[in-house]
Amino acid sequence: MSNSIERFPTPLPVPFSKAVRAGGFIFLSGQLAMQADATIVAGDVQVQTKFVLERIAATLQEVGSSMGDVVKATVWLANLDDFAAFNEEYKKHFSAGLPTRSTVEAKLYKGALVEVEVQALAR
């Protein structure tokens, strides 16, 4: 296991990395359903969750990991009344087994309905 740190910059004009590989893990920054023009994808929590988890899967693949390697997820919902609808979409993206997870309600950037951050094993 390496003690090195490798940072993967985001193409967005924000002061953080989209992912960091540290030792045997990959840490992703929180992901909103944000398009390249910085607008939030229109739609309900399931539409936004699908977008977010597809972006997370693409980033993990880019850095040599996968959704099956995710060990922990942190979720912020703009409204906890969306919990069941979020879960319905969320579970579709983890065929290798569900990671541990924390879910809280929070006011999100630009009125987004969901934000997800994950940690995964590095491959």
Side-chain angles (χ1 to χ4, degrees), residues 4-88:
S4 67
I5 296 175
E6 182 179 7
R7 300 173 200 284
F8 299 87
T10 179
L12 300 173
V14 291
F16 59 79
S17 297
K18 67 180 176 181
V20 173
R21 178 190 308 268
F25 290 94
I26 301 289
F27 300 87
L28 268 59
S29 291
Q31 177 69 57
L32 298 168
M34 185 180 293
Q35 301 179 89
D37 65 0
T39 60
I40 300 297
V41 171
D44 64 15
V45 73
Q46 286 181 296
V47 168
Q48 289 192 17
T49 299
K50 183 176 191 284
F51 184 92
V52 165
L53 293 174
E54 287 174 350
R55 296 276 303 271
I56 287 172
T59 299
L60 287 171
Q61 183 175 13
E62 178 185 333
V63 301
S65 193
S66 71
M67 293 297 275
D69 295 318
V70 173
V71 295
K72 171 78 167 103
T74 304
V75 177
W76 294 269
L77 293 174
N79 186 336
L80 280 177
D81 290 341
D82 288 336
F83 191 69
F86 166 80
N87 280 331
E88 189 175 321

Side-chain angles (χ1 to χ4, degrees), residues 83-103:
F83 191 69
F86 166 80
N87 280 331
E88 189 175 321
E89 181 63 35
Y90 177 86
K91 65 185 177 186
K92 296 176 186 176
H93 298 266
F94 293 97
S95 60
L98 294 168
T100 63
R101 187 178 92 191
S102 299
T103 304

